[in-house]
């Protein structure tokens, strides 16, 4: 039992560190924050393997690192709390699917959706006053619609990239992802 906890914490620390490193490899970055990266994938992988509790712990740790090292877009406590602590902690929702068939796929979808929902609400309520008159060639009149477009423009791509990686590694690493190598 002690070895399992130590292994879980060790793997969690490695996955959080990997996620943080991957967060610096940005394929594209939007002007007011948000970027296309594959940094969520190690968190989703850990959640699929270890479940909700350990997954939430890793997600909270990752959220704190994101705030500390990437919090340049947080101008107030609302943004620090919403765009960083709550949004990145929401990735841990993926752990709810750890026992399901296709846990990595369903967890990736759920974790991405949870993070998007947080960014969407924060974008509409905290950042709404900075909404441009035009975005993606459309006239913007509604902060909720603008926030959905802005945050969806990178979150959907992030999720798709994570799903592609999950599909590519699931067959060769399926036993590891499902935790079949662990003695429970």
């Amino acid at each position: 039992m002690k070895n399992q906890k130590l292994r879980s914490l060790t793997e969690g620390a490695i996955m959080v560190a990997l996620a943080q490193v991957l967060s610096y490899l940005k394929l594209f970055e939007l002007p007011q924050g948000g970027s296309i990266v594959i940094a969520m994938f190690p968190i989703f992988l850990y959640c699929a393997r270890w479940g909700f509790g350990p997954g939430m712990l890793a997600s909270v740790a990752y959220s704190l690192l994101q705030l500390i090292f990437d919090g340049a877009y947080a101008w107030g406590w609302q943004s620090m709390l919403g765009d960083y602590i709550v949004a990145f902690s929401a990735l841990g929702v993926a752990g709810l699917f750890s026992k399901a068939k296709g846990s990595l796929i369903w967890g990736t979808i759920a974790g991405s959706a949870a993070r998007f929902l947080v960014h969407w609400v924060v974008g509409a309520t905290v950042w709404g006053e900075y909404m441009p008159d035009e975005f993606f060639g459309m006239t913007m009149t509604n902060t909720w619609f603008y926030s959905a477009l802005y945050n969806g423009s990178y979150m959907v791509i992030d999720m798709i990239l994570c799903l592609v990686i999950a599909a590519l590694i699931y067959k060769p690493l399926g036993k590891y992802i499902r935790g079949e190598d662990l003695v429970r």
Side-chain angles (χ1 to χ4, degrees), residues 89-127:
S89 294
L91 297 176
V93 168
L96 292 172
F97 296 87
S98 66
K99 303 280 189 255
K101 185 175 182 177
S103 60
L104 184 56
I105 301 295
W106 292 114
T108 297
I109 292 168
S112 296
R115 181 177 163 207
F116 166 77
L117 286 173
V118 174
H119 284 307
W120 178 51
V121 171
V122 172
T125 57
V126 175
W127 296 101

Side-chain angles (χ1 to χ4, degrees), residues 19-20 23 39 61-72 84 88:
Q20 186 63 34
S23 75
Y62 179 55
S63 76
L64 293 171
L65 290 175
Q66 282 296 292
L67 175 63
I68 292 167
F69 294 113
D70 197 37
Y84 290 93
F88 287 99

